[in-house]
Amino acid sequence: MSTAAPPIPRVELAQAPTPLVQLERLSQELGVELWIKRDDLTGLLESGNKIRKLEFLVGEALAQNADTLITCGTRQSNCCRAVAAVAARLGLRAVLALKGDRPDEYDGNLLLSRLLGARVRYCSDREWERVDEVLQDLAAEVRRAGGTPYVIPESGATVTGALGYLGCGQELVHQARHGAPAFDTVVITAFSGGSHAGLLMARQIAGLGAEIVSVPIAWEAKRVRDYVTDVIGQARGRYGLPVTVPDEIHLIDGYQGTGRTRVREEELQTVVRLARQEGIVLDPVYTAKAFGGLVETLRRDPKALGRRVCFVHTGGIFSVFPFRAELGRLLDGEALIES
Ligand SMILES: Cc1ncc(COP(=O)(O)O)c(C=O)c1O
């Protein structure tokens, strides 16, 4: 009798490997080799890091014969839009519980989610406080209607989702074997820290040599560290992966800003600067905070993260549009022709 663990269900969704691009001008300015892994280009409507997570989450959903994906987030949630896109692609239904009222006009990710056919349940602040129950209520409604639901927590934050970033780490190792740099440090945005946990697992399982650092953009540092610790423990318990929690979980802390629905000028400036310097667009509430934190760290000490640093661009471009007014004001302040 074989004792091999059964394969982990997975559905191929991502356009991978995603490109690695050196940021030439910024590298020169900062005095390091700074690269970017274009995980914003994983496909299915530029769904960024979420597609890697959804490969495993939806793999599990299909293994359970689910026909309806249920998840939650802010009105501009990238994850909700990615779930809507995957559901449409695979002929499933998507139901989203979103924080806040229905806006007067659809925009950005919410517009796309609706366009892709997702049904939306808007949640008041009080409902949002017990959103896990709202998700279970929605699942019960789907069951009553004869469907089979699969619930995905906010940001795909489960151990199953984190396996997607174990895959990303494996991909970095493969790319290094085929001519890409072996990075000293890989830096990634953290909401829950699930992507960070996946990359840490790749250090132990796939031989990824880089130090992994994440930049929390909403939760306080301790909560991210606790979540990363928890996910690695679960990966061992649930999937039998030979992983342990490292002694230190490295973060660049202090860039949480004002949450995920408002933005500060410094974050918009980061979006504008990278767009103009390298032709790459970040999003204002996730990746711009993380990239801003990385650049500030390197400006203070170009050697802080080693000689070769890679930033993983986790996507989010559609949330640029709801900030059109703030961005417009910033961009209108400049001369037509610079001398
Ligand atoms: C663009 C973007 N980057 C990063 C993240 C954070 O991912 P994680 O929850 O794995 O830390 C998210 C999701 O919340 C996101 O939408």
Short mmCIF file of all heavy atoms in Angstrom, two decimals, residues 146-188:
data_model
loop_
_atom_site.label_atom_id
_atom_site.label_comp_id
_atom_site.label_asym_id
_atom_site.label_seq_id
_atom_site.Cartn_x
_atom_site.Cartn_y
_atom_site.Cartn_z
N GLY A 146 -30.32 24.92 -3.67
CA GLY A 146 -29.88 23.70 -4.37
C GLY A 146 -28.44 23.75 -4.86
O GLY A 146 -27.98 22.84 -5.55
N GLY A 147 -27.72 24.82 -4.52
CA GLY A 147 -26.32 24.93 -4.97
C GLY A 147 -25.34 24.38 -3.95
O GLY A 147 -25.73 23.95 -2.86
N THR A 148 -24.07 24.38 -4.34
CA THR A 148 -23.00 23.93 -3.44
C THR A 148 -21.99 25.07 -3.29
O THR A 148 -21.26 25.39 -4.24
CB THR A 148 -22.30 22.67 -4.00
OG1 THR A 148 -23.32 21.70 -4.28
CG2 THR A 148 -21.30 22.10 -3.02
N PRO A 149 -21.97 25.70 -2.12
CA PRO A 149 -21.08 26.85 -1.94
C PRO A 149 -19.66 26.46 -1.53
O PRO A 149 -19.46 25.41 -0.93
CB PRO A 149 -21.76 27.62 -0.81
CG PRO A 149 -22.42 26.55 0.01
CD PRO A 149 -22.81 25.45 -0.93
N TYR A 150 -18.73 27.34 -1.81
CA TYR A 150 -17.37 27.23 -1.27
C TYR A 150 -17.00 28.63 -0.80
O TYR A 150 -17.03 29.58 -1.58
CB TYR A 150 -16.39 26.73 -2.35
CG TYR A 150 -14.96 26.62 -1.84
CD1 TYR A 150 -14.52 25.47 -1.18
CD2 TYR A 150 -14.05 27.67 -2.02
CE1 TYR A 150 -13.21 25.36 -0.72
CE2 TYR A 150 -12.74 27.57 -1.55
CZ TYR A 150 -12.33 26.40 -0.91
OH TYR A 150 -11.04 26.29 -0.44
N VAL A 151 -16.67 28.75 0.48
CA VAL A 151 -16.40 30.07 1.07
C VAL A 151 -14.90 30.34 1.09
O VAL A 151 -14.10 29.52 1.55
CB VAL A 151 -16.98 30.15 2.49
CG1 VAL A 151 -16.57 31.45 3.18
CG2 VAL A 151 -18.51 30.04 2.45
N ILE A 152 -14.54 31.51 0.56
CA ILE A 152 -13.13 31.95 0.55
C ILE A 152 -13.03 33.15 1.50
O ILE A 152 -13.67 34.17 1.25
CB ILE A 152 -12.71 32.37 -0.88
CG1 ILE A 152 -12.85 31.18 -1.83
CG2 ILE A 152 -11.30 32.95 -0.90
CD1 ILE A 152 -12.66 31.53 -3.30
N PRO A 153 -12.26 33.06 2.59
CA PRO A 153 -12.15 34.22 3.48
C PRO A 153 -11.47 35.41 2.79
O PRO A 153 -10.86 35.24 1.73
CB PRO A 153 -11.28 33.72 4.64
CG PRO A 153 -11.02 32.30 4.40
CD PRO A 153 -11.43 31.94 3.02
N GLU A 154 -11.59 36.58 3.39
CA GLU A 154 -11.03 37.79 2.78
C GLU A 154 -9.57 37.56 2.38
O GLU A 154 -8.79 36.98 3.12
CB GLU A 154 -11.12 38.96 3.78
CG GLU A 154 -10.73 40.27 3.14
CD GLU A 154 -10.94 41.48 4.04
OE1 GLU A 154 -11.11 41.31 5.26
OE2 GLU A 154 -10.95 42.60 3.50
N SER A 155 -9.24 38.04 1.17
CA SER A 155 -7.87 37.95 0.63
C SER A 155 -7.41 36.51 0.38
O SER A 155 -6.23 36.26 0.19
CB SER A 155 -6.88 38.67 1.57
OG SER A 155 -5.60 38.70 0.99
N GLY A 156 -8.35 35.56 0.36
CA GLY A 156 -7.94 34.16 0.14
C GLY A 156 -6.99 33.70 1.23
O GLY A 156 -6.10 32.87 0.99
N ALA A 157 -7.20 34.27 2.44
CA ALA A 157 -6.24 34.04 3.53
C ALA A 157 -6.49 32.72 4.23
O ALA A 157 -7.06 32.67 5.32
CB ALA A 157 -6.29 35.21 4.51
N THR A 158 -6.06 31.64 3.60
CA THR A 158 -6.08 30.32 4.24
C THR A 158 -4.77 29.64 3.87
O THR A 158 -4.06 30.08 2.96
CB THR A 158 -7.22 29.41 3.72
OG1 THR A 158 -6.91 29.02 2.39
CG2 THR A 158 -8.57 30.10 3.76
N VAL A 159 -4.50 28.54 4.55
CA VAL A 159 -3.26 27.82 4.23
C VAL A 159 -3.31 27.31 2.79
O VAL A 159 -2.28 27.29 2.09
CB VAL A 159 -3.03 26.66 5.24
CG1 VAL A 159 -4.14 25.64 5.20
CG2 VAL A 159 -1.71 25.97 4.96
N THR A 160 -4.51 26.98 2.33
CA THR A 160 -4.64 26.49 0.95
C THR A 160 -4.24 27.59 -0.03
O THR A 160 -3.51 27.36 -1.00
CB THR A 160 -6.10 26.03 0.70
OG1 THR A 160 -6.45 25.15 1.77
CG2 THR A 160 -6.25 25.33 -0.62
N GLY A 161 -4.70 28.82 0.23
CA GLY A 161 -4.34 29.95 -0.63
C GLY A 161 -2.83 30.21 -0.62
O GLY A 161 -2.23 30.49 -1.65
N ALA A 162 -2.24 30.10 0.57
CA ALA A 162 -0.80 30.39 0.69
C ALA A 162 0.06 29.47 -0.17
O ALA A 162 1.17 29.82 -0.57
CB ALA A 162 -0.37 30.30 2.15
N LEU A 163 -0.47 28.29 -0.51
CA LEU A 163 0.29 27.36 -1.37
C LEU A 163 0.63 28.02 -2.70
O LEU A 163 1.63 27.69 -3.34
CB LEU A 163 -0.51 26.08 -1.61
CG LEU A 163 -0.82 25.22 -0.38
CD1 LEU A 163 -1.69 24.03 -0.77
CD2 LEU A 163 0.48 24.74 0.29
N GLY A 164 -0.19 28.98 -3.12
CA GLY A 164 0.08 29.68 -4.38
C GLY A 164 1.41 30.39 -4.34
O GLY A 164 2.11 30.49 -5.37
N TYR A 165 1.79 30.90 -3.16
CA TYR A 165 3.08 31.61 -3.10
C TYR A 165 4.25 30.68 -2.81
O TYR A 165 5.40 31.06 -3.08
CB TYR A 165 2.99 32.86 -2.20
CG TYR A 165 2.62 33.96 -3.17
CD1 TYR A 165 1.30 34.06 -3.62
CD2 TYR A 165 3.58 34.73 -3.79
CE1 TYR A 165 0.97 34.95 -4.63
CE2 TYR A 165 3.26 35.62 -4.79
CZ TYR A 165 1.96 35.73 -5.20
OH TYR A 165 1.65 36.58 -6.22
N LEU A 166 3.96 29.48 -2.37
CA LEU A 166 5.00 28.45 -2.39
C LEU A 166 5.33 28.23 -3.88
O LEU A 166 6.50 28.17 -4.27
CB LEU A 166 4.46 27.17 -1.72
CG LEU A 166 5.23 25.88 -1.93
CD1 LEU A 166 6.69 26.03 -1.51
CD2 LEU A 166 4.60 24.74 -1.13
N GLY A 167 4.31 28.19 -4.71
CA GLY A 167 4.51 28.03 -6.15
C GLY A 167 5.31 29.19 -6.74
O GLY A 167 6.18 28.98 -7.59
N CYS A 168 5.03 30.40 -6.30
CA CYS A 168 5.77 31.56 -6.81
C CYS A 168 7.25 31.45 -6.43
O CYS A 168 8.14 31.74 -7.24
CB CYS A 168 5.16 32.85 -6.26
SG CYS A 168 6.06 34.33 -6.73
N GLY A 169 7.51 30.99 -5.20
CA GLY A 169 8.90 30.81 -4.76
C GLY A 169 9.61 29.75 -5.59
O GLY A 169 10.77 29.91 -5.98
N GLN A 170 8.87 28.66 -5.89
CA GLN A 170 9.46 27.60 -6.74
C GLN A 170 9.80 28.19 -8.11
O GLN A 170 10.83 27.88 -8.70
CB GLN A 170 8.48 26.44 -6.89
CG GLN A 170 8.38 25.58 -5.64
CD GLN A 170 7.18 24.64 -5.64
OE1 GLN A 170 6.13 24.96 -6.22
NE2 GLN A 170 7.31 23.51 -4.97
N GLU A 171 8.93 29.05 -8.57
CA GLU A 171 9.14 29.68 -9.89
C GLU A 171 10.40 30.56 -9.88
O GLU A 171 11.18 30.56 -10.84
CB GLU A 171 7.90 30.52 -10.19
CG GLU A 171 7.78 30.97 -11.62
CD GLU A 171 6.42 31.64 -11.81
OE1 GLU A 171 5.37 30.98 -11.68
OE2 GLU A 171 6.42 32.85 -12.08
N LEU A 172 10.62 31.29 -8.78
CA LEU A 172 11.83 32.13 -8.68
C LEU A 172 13.09 31.26 -8.72
O LEU A 172 14.09 31.64 -9.34
CB LEU A 172 11.79 32.95 -7.39
CG LEU A 172 10.91 34.20 -7.41
CD1 LEU A 172 10.67 34.72 -6.00
CD2 LEU A 172 11.54 35.29 -8.28
N VAL A 173 13.03 30.11 -8.08
CA VAL A 173 14.19 29.19 -8.08
C VAL A 173 14.44 28.71 -9.51
O VAL A 173 15.57 28.71 -10.01
CB VAL A 173 13.93 27.99 -7.13
CG1 VAL A 173 15.02 26.94 -7.27
CG2 VAL A 173 13.82 28.47 -5.69
N HIS A 174 13.36 28.34 -10.19
CA HIS A 174 13.46 27.85 -11.57
C HIS A 174 14.03 28.96 -12.48
O HIS A 174 14.90 28.71 -13.31
CB HIS A 174 12.06 27.43 -12.04
CG HIS A 174 12.05 26.79 -13.38
ND1 HIS A 174 12.43 25.49 -13.58
CD2 HIS A 174 11.73 27.29 -14.61
CE1 HIS A 174 12.34 25.20 -14.86
NE2 HIS A 174 11.91 26.28 -15.50
N GLN A 175 13.55 30.17 -12.28
CA GLN A 175 14.03 31.28 -13.12
C GLN A 175 15.52 31.54 -12.87
O GLN A 175 16.26 31.83 -13.80
CB GLN A 175 13.20 32.54 -12.85
CG GLN A 175 11.79 32.43 -13.46
CD GLN A 175 10.91 33.65 -13.16
OE1 GLN A 175 10.71 34.01 -12.01
NE2 GLN A 175 10.37 34.28 -14.21
N ALA A 176 15.94 31.40 -11.60
CA ALA A 176 17.37 31.61 -11.29
C ALA A 176 18.23 30.54 -11.97
O ALA A 176 19.35 30.82 -12.41
CB ALA A 176 17.59 31.58 -9.77
N ARG A 177 17.68 29.33 -12.10
CA ARG A 177 18.44 28.26 -12.78
C ARG A 177 18.56 28.52 -14.27
O ARG A 177 19.36 27.93 -14.96
CB ARG A 177 17.74 26.91 -12.59
CG ARG A 177 17.98 26.34 -11.24
CD ARG A 177 17.71 24.84 -11.19
NE ARG A 177 17.55 24.47 -9.79
CZ ARG A 177 16.42 24.04 -9.24
NH1 ARG A 177 15.34 23.86 -9.99
NH2 ARG A 177 16.37 23.76 -7.97
N HIS A 178 17.71 29.40 -14.77
CA HIS A 178 17.71 29.69 -16.21
C HIS A 178 18.12 31.13 -16.50
O HIS A 178 17.59 31.77 -17.40
CB HIS A 178 16.33 29.37 -16.81
CG HIS A 178 16.06 27.89 -16.82
ND1 HIS A 178 15.56 27.23 -15.72
CD2 HIS A 178 16.27 26.95 -17.77
CE1 HIS A 178 15.45 25.94 -16.00
NE2 HIS A 178 15.88 25.74 -17.24
N GLY A 179 19.02 31.65 -15.69
CA GLY A 179 19.65 32.93 -16.05
C GLY A 179 19.19 34.14 -15.26
O GLY A 179 19.82 35.19 -15.33
N ALA A 180 18.10 34.05 -14.52
CA ALA A 180 17.68 35.20 -13.71
C ALA A 180 18.57 35.30 -12.48
O ALA A 180 19.20 34.31 -12.10
CB ALA A 180 16.22 35.02 -13.29
N PRO A 181 18.63 36.45 -11.85
CA PRO A 181 19.48 36.57 -10.65
C PRO A 181 18.98 35.71 -9.50
O PRO A 181 17.78 35.45 -9.40
CB PRO A 181 19.36 38.05 -10.27
CG PRO A 181 18.70 38.73 -11.38
CD PRO A 181 17.94 37.71 -12.18
N ALA A 182 19.91 35.30 -8.65
CA ALA A 182 19.53 34.69 -7.36
C ALA A 182 19.47 35.86 -6.39
O ALA A 182 20.49 36.46 -6.06
CB ALA A 182 20.60 33.68 -6.94
N PHE A 183 18.27 36.22 -5.97
CA PHE A 183 18.12 37.45 -5.19
C PHE A 183 18.56 37.25 -3.74
O PHE A 183 18.40 36.17 -3.17
CB PHE A 183 16.65 37.91 -5.22
CG PHE A 183 16.20 38.27 -6.60
CD1 PHE A 183 15.29 37.47 -7.29
CD2 PHE A 183 16.72 39.39 -7.23
CE1 PHE A 183 14.90 37.80 -8.58
CE2 PHE A 183 16.32 39.72 -8.51
CZ PHE A 183 15.42 38.93 -9.20
N ASP A 184 19.07 38.34 -3.16
CA ASP A 184 19.38 38.32 -1.72
C ASP A 184 18.09 38.45 -0.92
O ASP A 184 17.95 37.83 0.12
CB ASP A 184 20.33 39.47 -1.36
CG ASP A 184 21.66 39.30 -2.05
OD1 ASP A 184 22.29 38.25 -1.84
OD2 ASP A 184 22.06 40.20 -2.83
N THR A 185 17.18 39.29 -1.43
CA THR A 185 15.94 39.53 -0.69
C THR A 185 14.77 39.63 -1.67
O THR A 185 14.90 40.22 -2.74
CB THR A 185 16.03 40.86 0.09
OG1 THR A 185 17.21 40.85 0.88
CG2 THR A 185 14.83 41.07 1.00
N VAL A 186 13.65 39.04 -1.28
CA VAL A 186 12.40 39.21 -2.02
C VAL A 186 11.44 39.97 -1.10
O VAL A 186 11.24 39.57 0.05
CB VAL A 186 11.79 37.84 -2.42
CG1 VAL A 186 10.39 38.02 -3.00
CG2 VAL A 186 12.70 37.13 -3.43
N VAL A 187 10.89 41.06 -1.61
CA VAL A 187 9.99 41.90 -0.81
C VAL A 187 8.59 41.82 -1.39
O VAL A 187 8.41 41.91 -2.62
CB VAL A 187 10.48 43.38 -0.82
CG1 VAL A 187 9.55 44.27 0.01
CG2 VAL A 187 11.91 43.46 -0.30
N ILE A 188 7.60 41.65 -0.53
CA ILE A 188 6.22 41.50 -1.01
C ILE A 188 5.27 42.27 -0.09
O ILE A 188 5.55 42.46 1.10
CB ILE A 188 5.84 40.00 -1.10
CG1 ILE A 188 4.54 39.81 -1.89
CG2 ILE A 188 5.76 39.33 0.27
CD1 ILE A 188 4.32 38.40 -2.42
#
